[in-house]
Amino acid sequence: AGIEAAIRAVGPLTDVPLGPPGQVLGDDLVASYVQQVASVIAPDGSRELSVAYTPLHGVGGAVLTAAFARAGFPVPGIVPEQAEPDADFPTVSFPNPEEPGAVDLLVALANATDADIAIANDPDADRCAVAVRDAGSGWRMLRGDEVGVLLADHLMRRGVTGLYATTIVSSSLLRAMCAARGLPYDETLTGFKWIVRAGGGSVPLVFGYEEALGYCVAPDLVRDKDGISAALTVAELAAGLKAQGRTLTDRLDELAAEFGVHHTDQLSVRVDDLRQIADAMARIRAATPTTLLGQPVDTTEDLLPEADVVILRTASARVVIRPSGTEPKLKAYLEVVEPVTGGDVATARTRAQQAVTRLRTDIATALNL
């Protein structure tokens, strides 16, 4: 009501004077960014890597290809139908690489060119999606949590010390890695406005990520999520592994063998009436599940009033429930940790996937949406 009154007090928009036209920045700013972002990766190391790429009709194409060339990588092949900025996004139903079908043309190009990996930026190029070859299904898109821990592990192995941070809805694997390697760790609310403030400044942030494909690999250069520097760092990692006859999925398996399989998924329910979300949050607070996956719920955290978030934990699972900040959706972020015995990562992954499927059913029933 207060906001509405303030808007009405302004009067007709046509009567509001326009501000100054502002300053149009020159290409020297982009050239400076390309030069600096190319220095994010180490100067030595393999550059032998074939990459298929799409900017999804956005602004990333020219900048990413320039950054790759400056860093010494072969210029990625670009999906021609999506190479130029086009605000109509004619080849996709929704220009988000996480959406089904959004990277179909990218996968087709990767197949046609026998690419080692496939990379997509979202239209404003601050997020980065990575697809890899999968023996069972051709290509698969890595989850944001998978790319996040791969990047963090890569920086750790390069000797980058400082604070590593992620959000309350991301995988707990980064926490486990930092604990095992004696590195500072922090967890924040969702959004990079919180991630870049992680630790309160007591320890310099060196890496932050969120599961929604956002990565900050060089906070001193870009103190926000940045899809170009993330893509370069992924390429550096993939090229180094390729030189050893290995892949990104091999590295994920090694991390799983060391820390257990951390399988994450998301339950997202779109509603027509926002009151349904408030009612569901009230239900989960009033009748919090006492068991999940047959295990007792050991801890329950309610982050009100700081945030409308409820967190449930068992010995092997975690559920974070919150309304979406941008869409009429209620979201539940699911994670199951499955130990690996006898080096059998594949069996542990299958068990974790099955457990997450059961967990989705349990939470959907509890939310009653």
Side-chain angles (χ1 to χ4, degrees), residues 23 27 56 66 93-94 118 120 123 170 178 213 240 260 278 309 331 348 357 364:
Q23 177 187 1
D27 289 341
L56 278 183
S93 57
F94 193 78
S170 300
C178 288
L213 308 183
V309 177
K331 293 186 174 182
T357 299

Side-chain angles (χ1 to χ4, degrees), residues 3-320:
I3 293 171
E4 183 180 4
I7 292 172
R8 292 185 183 281
V10 171
L13 188 60
T14 52
D15 295 342
V16 177
L18 296 176
Q23 177 187 1
V24 177
L25 299 174
D27 289 341
D28 57 329
L29 181 67
V30 178
S32 175
Y33 169 80
V34 167
Q35 178 182 355
Q36 293 183 60
V37 83
S39 68
V40 167
I41 64 174
D44 53 359
S46 175
R47 297 292 191 267
E48 294 299 317
L49 190 74
S50 173
V51 178
Y53 170 71
T54 178
L56 278 183
H57 299 294
V59 298
V63 181
L64 181 135
T65 52
F68 267 64
R70 178 87 184 194
F73 283 100
V75 174
I78 301 183
V79 175
E81 301 93 330
Q82 299 172 337
E84 297 300 323
D86 187 338
D88 291 329
F89 307 112
T91 66
V92 293
S93 57
F94 193 78
N96 179 344
E98 293 179 294
E99 292 291 323
V103 296
D104 286 356
L105 291 176
L106 174 64
V107 169
L109 176 65
N111 274 324
T113 59
D114 195 28
D116 295 310
I117 61 172
I119 294 175
N121 285 137
D122 63 336
D124 60 353
D126 65 352
R127 295 196 294 161
C128 176
V130 181
V132 296
R133 292 185 183 275
D134 186 274
S137 57
W139 288 83
R140 77 172 181 94
M141 188 69 69
L142 295 180
R143 294 183 178 276
D145 282 318
E146 292 177 308
V147 177
V149 297
L150 281 171
L151 289 171
D153 175 69
H154 178 57
L155 294 175
M156 292 174 187
R157 287 170 177 270
R158 274 178 39 188
V160 178
T161 58
L163 180 68
Y164 287 74
T166 188
T167 71
I168 59 173
V169 302
S170 300
S171 171
S172 61
L173 178 52
L174 181 58
R175 176 194 290 271
M177 290 164 56
C178 288
R181 297 170 184 180
L183 291 166
Y185 170 83
D186 197 12
E187 214 167 86
T188 73
L189 296 176
T190 56
F192 267 82
K193 66 180 180 181
W194 302 114
I195 292 174
V196 297
R197 293 176 172 86
S202 57
V203 181
L205 178 72
V206 294
F207 174 76
Y209 93 91
E210 61 182 0
E211 50 77 38
L213 308 183
Y215 315 98
C216 178
V217 299
D220 290 343
L221 175 61
V222 179
R223 201 166 182 81
D224 200 345
K225 59 183 179 290
D226 177 34
I228 306 296
S229 56
L232 268 177
T233 310
V234 167
E236 177 187 38
L237 171 59
L241 290 170
K242 181 183 178 183
Q244 302 169 8
R246 299 157 64 218
T247 65
L248 295 178
T249 52
D250 290 333
R251 187 71 197 111
L252 285 171
D253 284 348
E254 291 168 5
L255 288 171
E258 183 176 358
F259 298 102
V261 172
H262 288 62
H263 187 70
T264 57
D265 202 352
Q266 187 181 127
L267 171 64
S268 180
V269 182
R270 182 180 292 274
V271 300
D272 296 323
D273 184 345
L274 290 178
R275 287 176 298 184
Q276 294 176 271
I277 293 178
D279 291 345
M281 293 302 296
R283 279 194 298 272
I284 205 71
R285 288 185 166 101
T288 305
T290 57
T291 62
L292 293 170
L293 299 176
Q295 299 175 340
V297 175
D298 298 324
T299 61
T300 301
E301 295 179 60
D302 190 340
L303 301 191
L304 279 176
E306 184 179 10
D308 190 6
V309 177
V310 173
I311 304 174
L312 312 175
R313 289 188 175 90
T314 73
S316 65
R318 186 202 62 187
V319 178
V320 183

